[in-house]
Each structure stands twice: as C-alpha cells, then as structure tokens.
Amino acid sequence: LSFRVIRAAQATWQGTVSDGGGHIAVSSGALDGPYSFRARVDDVEQVTNPEELIAAAEAGCFTMSLADRLTEAGHPPRELRTMARARLEQVGQQFNVTRIDLSAVADVPGIDAAEFARLAEQAKDCTITRALAGTEITLEASLAAQSLAGG
Amino acid sequence: LSFRVIRAAQATWQGTVSDGGGHIAVSSGALDGPYSFRARVDDVEQVTNPEELIAAAEAGCFTMSLADRLTEAGHPPRELRTMARARLEQVGQQFNVTRIDLSAVADVPGIDAAEFARLAEQAKDCTITRALAGTEITLEASLAAQSLAGG
C-alpha cells in the first residue's frame, strides 16, 4: 500500500473583485485571515495573497529537502534560510507566476562548497517544485561564513 | 510597460528532517510560524506544511477568479466558498502532489446553473492553476440553495 495524505485549505469571497474581499484558512489553523486583490499587487499588512503562499510552499519544501540531502550526506545543517520571491507578471491578457527565485544561505559544519552546491541543486527537485511545473524556478545557494571557517 | 510585482516568503530549518524543525513566514505577515515533516504526513495543530499552503494558494486564486468571471457576467457573488484538497502521494521514490480537488459552493443571485457551470470552468484557468502545471486540478462547483430559489 503506497503512502497518501490529504492536506486542505479553504477560501471564501464576497462581492466583486475590486470592492469585495475574501478569507483563506488552512486546515492546520496556522493561517486564517483575509486576502484581497489589492494584496496581490500592493503591500498590505496582514492580508495574504496566493502568490506569497506559493512562495512560502516552495521555500518550505526546498528548505526541508535540502536538510534531508545534507543529513543523508552526513552534514545535518545547523541552520538553513531560504527566501523565495515569486514574480507575478502580465503576459498578454493573463497574469502568470513567471518565475520563483530561491535564495538560500546555509550554516552547515564541515561541508565543502562543491558538495554543498551539488546537494542544493538536487534539493531543488522537491515535491512542490515538481507541482509548479508551469513556472521557472531558479536557485542561488551559498554557505554562511561560519561554515566555511569550519565553525 | 507591463505589470510586474514580487511576492515573497522565507523558510528556515535547523537540524535533521526527522528531529529538527523549521519556520515559514510570508512577507505580508499573515503567516509566521513553525512547519515540520510530521505536519506534512500527520495532523499537527498550528504547524503548517507546504502542501496545505499550495492548497490555500489554489483555493484563493480560483475563488477570486470566479468572483471576477461572475462580476463580468453581471452576477457578483454574495458568497463563494471553496475547499481545496491537495493529495500528497508516493510515486516510486518520490512524493508528489498528484492532484488538487476543488469543491466550490456559490451563492449567486439570479444566475442559472448552466451559465454558472461554464464560468466556474473558465475560472479554473487562473494564475496559480497555470503555475501548478505538474499536478492535476479537478473542480466540482455548485450553486447554493438560496441562489437556485432566486434568493
């Protein structure tokens, strides 16, 4: 029997896109709040949007995947930190997430830069990256200074 | 000049996948908390995971897209409610999001069922659906009883 789980979320909306608003909640309860059209195109405190949630999913998946690769290689990370920037762009009449840029800094005692670079590239092929086949995903990964010093 | 915005999120991780843990934050501030391997495969209160965030992004994008289609057709929704269920499944040696099932209920005064079904199907082709080209997305959409009664 193969492994399978369901992870869920719910969204609501009232009214028009420009004047109305909505709400997004995930089943763990970690996120439960408003979202809006304006939050997709402008910065609105505490109001989420689908694009930053895609960025969060990709950052989280890649970072856990990198921790897994590093651990298997005998170098569990002291700390990994990944920023994901999703670009929402007009393409003809559509708005597309044309790319997500990952930028990771890793504090990993005892690893050399070449092995780290190889594992980071492998980690990019994670569950959410494969789901996001319609958008380009780029990666810049570097070792923190304390790793290079043998920290 | 074409429209372009960046939406960002950050993930961190400390230690191994099994014993360590991480943190995910989106730049709006709407989500800022722990995530873990266990939360991907088991239910953990208030601990998020990449799959429920993908489900949230897809539910949010589809629901706003449907509000937009309905408004353009002269029927702004009183309320839309969409559940998204992302299936995380083992495929050979990999874990993939093999499908996301959308289930929407709409309270839309004055629309007939055929037009609603057509607009819902169109709304499925939204920004996040196009990004998630690596996973199947299904949709079941229905009108709430009060819409059918003309309420």
Side-chain angles (χ1 to χ4, degrees):
Chain A
L1 201 71
S2 73
F3 171 86
R4 176 191 290 183
V5 291
I6 305 292
R7 306 284 91 179
Q10 192 178 56
T12 61
W13 192 271
Q14 287 91 30
T16 68
V17 166
S18 52
D19 297 328
H23 195 96
I24 295 182
V26 295
S27 51
S28 74
L31 167 69
D32 187 347
Y35 82 114
S36 71
F37 177 73
R38 205 185 130 221
R40 295 180 87 160
V41 299
D42 199 359
D43 294 327
V44 188
E45 281 289 316
Q46 300 296 326
V47 180
T48 194
N49 60 81
E51 287 70 46
E52 72 172 12
L53 296 177
I54 281 284
E58 176 63 19
C61 188
F62 164 76
T63 306
M64 199 190 297
S65 172
L66 181 54
D68 190 39
R69 301 271 179 177
L70 290 166
T71 301
E72 284 192 8
H75 302 290
R78 200 147 47 193
E79 174 154 295
L80 306 176
R81 186 172 294 271
T82 306
M83 178 70 79
R85 291 178 181 83
R87 185 185 292 182
L88 177 64
E89 199 164 11
Q90 191 172 358
V91 180
Q93 296 300 306
Q94 297 184 322
F95 290 89
N96 286 339
V97 178
T98 52
R99 56 191 285 178
I100 299 175
D101 297 316
L102 298 172
S103 173
V105 178
D107 180 2
V108 185
I111 199 167
D112 72 71
E115 184 178 13
F116 171 73
R118 184 175 58 78
L119 295 172
E121 203 53 46
Q122 288 177 5
K124 198 172 74 133
D125 178 26
C126 71
T127 299
I128 301 297
T129 299
R130 289 190 295 272
L132 288 168
T135 189
E136 182 189 5
I137 295 181
T138 72
L139 171 65
E140 282 186 16
S142 59
L143 284 168
Q146 58 269 44
S147 305
L148 298 169
Chain B
L1 199 73
S2 73
F3 171 85
R4 175 192 289 183
V5 292
I6 305 291
R7 308 283 89 180
Q10 192 178 54
T12 61
W13 192 271
Q14 288 91 31
T16 67
V17 166
S18 50
D19 298 328
H23 195 95
I24 294 181
V26 296
S27 52
S28 73
L31 167 69
D32 186 347
Y35 82 113
S36 71
F37 176 73
R38 205 186 130 223
R40 296 180 86 160
V41 298
D42 199 359
D43 294 326
V44 188
E45 280 290 314
Q46 300 296 324
V47 179
T48 193
N49 60 81
E51 287 69 47
E52 72 173 10
L53 295 177
I54 282 283
E58 176 63 19
C61 188
F62 165 76
T63 307
M64 199 190 298
S65 171
L66 180 54
D68 190 39
R69 301 271 179 178
L70 289 166
T71 301
E72 284 191 9
H75 302 290
R78 199 147 47 192
E79 172 153 294
L80 307 177
R81 185 172 294 272
T82 307
M83 177 70 78
R85 291 179 181 84
R87 185 185 292 183
L88 177 64
E89 198 164 12
Q90 190 170 359
V91 180
Q93 296 301 302
Q94 298 184 322
F95 291 88
N96 287 339
V97 178
T98 51
R99 58 193 284 178
I100 299 175
D101 297 317
L102 297 172
S103 173
V105 178
D107 179 3
V108 185
I111 198 167
D112 73 72
E115 183 178 14
F116 172 73
R118 186 176 57 79
L119 295 172
E121 203 52 47
Q122 288 177 2
K124 196 170 75 131
D125 178 26
C126 71
T127 299
I128 301 297
T129 299
R130 289 190 294 272
L132 287 169
T135 190
E136 182 188 6
I137 295 179
T138 72
L139 171 65
E140 283 186 15
S142 60
L143 284 170
Q146 57 268 47
S147 304
L148 297 170

